[in-house]
Amino acid sequence: MNLEEIKQALTDGEPQTRVKAMRLLRDYPADVAVPLLESQMGHGDFLVRSFIAMGLGLYPSDRTVKTLKKLLDDGDHSVRAEAAGSLGRCDAEVIPDLVAAFRRDDNWLVRRSLLESLVEFRQPAALMEVCELAIAGDNVSVTEAAIDALTLLHKTEFSDQALELLLPFVSDDWWQIRWRTARSLGFFEQEKAIAARQFLGKDDDHRVVGGAMEAVMATDGNRSNGDDG
């Protein structure tokens, strides 16, 4: 399908045909692909708008950032999640927008995508804020992602604060949460972290015990190698 055929396909009434055409735009430069992707913004099918959000992530620029920010307010959570993921490929100037979106959007898929993008930026203050919000929520999947993300704060000024968020999970009812917590605690060297790992090393679930053992070995390895993370 050449460019003219792609343009024609983008006017087709069948959403799948438009999606196929947008997928082929990946082979074209930004000055060709971006305007054509943006021309589909008003399409009523969420699948088309999701592919717009995905496609724009391949061309990070001031223009695409502006469009992706608009898609963070789309009526469909799948579109918002794709926009969040694509913004993770852009410049750090989008961090406040990602944090703001996390505050207002309680959909678990969108929050996972926002958190994953913020992890890419490695900006401690923003990551700390969204992890607090994630853990204060009630979705297990988002909580798990936050538990993993908190490991990135172990060598920052938020180390103690991150540890305090982890510690309550050592007694969580879900073994998956305790297991993730055990592994994350391996990045922290405070006395509280050591005590928590020892506690989880005696857990009733062997998988949690295994996670605690991995954490101890990882910590010992980091110390012997002088790894600062």
Side-chain angles (χ1 to χ4, degrees), residues 182 186 197 209-225:
R197 290 198 300 270
V209 173
M213 291 176 64
E214 288 180 35
V216 171
M217 289 187 290
T219 302
D220 290 344
N222 289 341
R223 286 173 178 168
S224 63
N225 295 326

